[in-house]
Amino acid sequence: MANVRVERTDDGGFRATNARGAEVRIGGGDEDGVFTPVELLLAAVGGCNIVTVEPLTAQRNKRLVRLAMTVQAEKVEQSKLGPVTVTYDVELPSEDARSVFEAVAERVHEKYCTVSRSLQEGTEVRLELP
């Protein structure tokens, strides 16, 4: 089971931490040095895809010279996002690596990225109050 703790900090900001000690500062879009909750969602989509694509292309001896992506979405309502778009920015080690990269990226998107699949399939979010 995955879990994070999100809490207000002593300085009035917010942070998310995990059991391994990692920490991310969270805030509004007008604050420097923090991620908004929507940006964290987009980072989760990108992170899930990229950390899965990297080892799979490398295992096929087609490790990409550069592997990056941009993940974006626009709000279509005050509290609802429209489609999330993942755009890869890659440098291939050779032209024959293109088909391997494309096949891996598509498979990861369709089957292996837990975050993207959960968004696409509409995972239920439950609220438990004390």
Side-chain angles (χ1 to χ4, degrees):
M1 171 185 259
N3 89 42
V4 296
R5 179 172 175 83
V6 181
E7 62 188 336
R8 187 186 65 233
T9 58
D10 291 340
D11 64 3
F14 301 91
R15 77 169 160 237
T17 56
N18 66 18
R20 294 176 309 283
E23 177 177 305
V24 176
R25 293 181 49 210
I26 304 169
D30 58 345
E31 298 175 60
D32 291 335
V34 300
F35 280 92
T36 68
V38 170
E39 289 168 337
L40 288 172
L41 178 70
L42 299 177
V45 169
C48 183
N49 277 275
I50 207 166
V51 302
T52 309
V53 165
E54 166 63 19
L56 293 175
T57 54
Q59 287 172 5
R60 289 158 179 77
N61 294 319
K62 305 295 182 193
R63 187 169 193 274
L64 302 170
V65 176
R66 180 182 66 252
L67 174 58
M69 64 176 51
T70 301
V71 185
Q72 58 189 19
E74 291 186 23
K75 285 189 175 183
V76 293
E77 295 176 19
Q78 172 133 3
S79 58
K80 184 178 179 188
L81 291 177
V84 175
T85 302
V86 175
T87 305
Y88 277 90
D89 175 16
V90 299
E91 182 179 338
L92 302 168
S94 61
E95 192 51 41
D96 68 324
R98 178 174 303 284
S99 61
V100 171
F101 162 68
E102 289 176 355
V104 166
E106 287 175 11
R107 210 167 31 257
V108 166
H109 174 72
E110 292 169 4
K111 295 182 180 180
Y112 299 115
C113 176
T114 303
V115 177
S116 292
R117 288 193 61 223
S118 296
L119 287 175
Q120 288 172 340
E121 295 178 14
T123 298
E124 178 184 358
V125 177
R126 298 180 184 142
L127 176 64
E128 293 184 7
L129 299 172

